[in-house]
Amino acid sequence: MEIDFEKLGGLVPAIIQDATTKNVLMLGFMNEQAYHKTIETGKVTFWSRTRKCLWTKGETSGNFLNLVSIQNDCDNDTLLVKVNPIGPTCHKGTDTCWGETNEANPLLFLTELQDFIEKRHQEMPEGSYTTKLFKDGVNKMAQKVGEEALETVIEATNGTNEKLIYEASDMMYHLIVLLTSKGLRIEDIAQELHKRHDPCWDQARRLKKASE
């Protein structure tokens, strides 16, 4: 990877991002030596502009930033460093240097879940319930979504919130399996809903209906 260390006098900004939550944790600076040490050790190392030396994040606190990947930007002078942090990142004891809590948005798991289901679809391991669903075919999968939807409705009208969440989760899982079998993603549904959120969407839909 070609990095332009000379543009800022031997240093490049390094944006540190949690690889799982996608939250930005801190901003540091690396010189060429810090970059190579990060690659070699798998623990993010910076150049301290105040102490004029290398420092590996966590070397005194134990709150290391374990390296996942490094990407260069379009000008080759800023790094995006994805990490798995151990403990809080900021020296003040907070998760990030902006005082934010480093928590994952639960909605991101839906993408992770579909990635897992797609892997099942490719590998079709024996003994897997997801594999069985794919082998049963689209009609059975669609029927299963309907059954889970009905159970969700029953819990919504006559059950508890806990059971409603349980049945709705079953429905969502089987829907994602069905989408995967059709070559679609849960993000396709999100994009459709986003499109419908546009105030002009309903008007455009009505005009289209009127012209048909």
Side-chain angles (χ1 to χ4, degrees):
M1 182 164 57
E2 182 181 345
I3 304 171
D4 188 353
F5 287 102
E6 299 308 314
K7 189 178 288 188
L8 291 178
L11 298 177
V12 293
I15 301 165
I16 310 302
Q17 181 186 42
D18 189 305
T20 302
T21 67
K22 311 304 179 187
N23 294 324
V24 175
L25 304 177
M26 65 171 288
L27 173 68
F29 288 85
M30 289 185 182
N31 61 7
E32 192 166 0
Q33 191 179 359
Y35 168 76
H36 286 300
K37 186 173 181 182
T38 297
I39 297 296
E40 290 167 8
T41 64
K43 298 190 183 303
V44 176
T45 298
F46 300 100
W47 173 259
S48 172
R49 293 172 296 166
T50 54
R51 290 178 286 166
K52 305 298 182 186
C53 65
L54 294 178
W55 65 283
T56 299
K57 181 73 181 70
E59 59 191 355
T60 56
S61 65
N63 297 328
F64 292 102
L65 299 172
N66 292 325
L67 180 66
V68 174
S69 67
I70 299 183
Q71 296 171 251
N72 211 352
D73 79 339
C74 56
D75 292 323
N76 298 326
D77 60 5
T78 302
L79 301 177
L80 177 61
V81 184
K82 296 182 180 180
V83 303
N84 289 322
I86 298 177
T89 297
C90 184
H91 69 284
K92 292 185 176 181
T94 55
D95 288 349
T96 80
C97 287
W98 292 270
E100 299 172 325
T101 301
N102 183 27
E103 294 179 345
N105 184 338
L107 290 175
L108 293 176
F109 177 70
L110 293 179
T111 293
E112 185 180 334
L113 175 61
Q114 181 149 20
D115 290 342
F116 177 82
I117 290 172
E118 284 188 344
K119 191 167 184 243
R120 281 285 194 260
H121 195 206
Q122 293 165 3
E123 298 175 353
M124 299 291 276
E126 291 298 326
S128 163
Y129 175 67
T130 306
T131 296
K132 179 182 180 302
L133 289 173
F134 285 127
K135 286 183 176 180
D136 285 344
V138 172
N139 289 347
K140 286 283 183 67
M141 279 186 276
Q143 180 182 340
K144 192 64 179 172
V145 172
E147 291 172 359
E148 297 298 344
L150 178 58
E151 291 180 12
T152 300
V153 170
I154 291 171
E155 291 302 333
T157 55
N158 294 297
T160 65
N161 287 346
E162 183 180 0
K163 289 182 178 178
L164 170 60
I165 291 174
Y166 184 89
E167 295 300 343
S169 299
D170 278 351
M171 181 184 68
M172 182 66 73
Y173 162 76
H174 287 90
L175 176 61
I176 293 176
V177 172
L178 179 61
L179 290 171
T180 302
S181 74
K182 303 292 287 185
L184 299 171
R185 295 278 309 184
I186 193 70
E187 291 88 348
D188 295 323
I189 294 177
Q191 287 176 355
E192 175 65 19
L193 291 172
H194 183 267
K195 183 170 65 176
R196 294 185 189 187
H197 189 62
D198 188 323
C200 298
W201 176 81
D202 191 52
Q203 183 180 0
R205 182 181 64 86
R206 290 182 182 182
L207 289 173
K208 182 180 178 183
K209 231 176 157 184
S211 64
E212 290 176 350

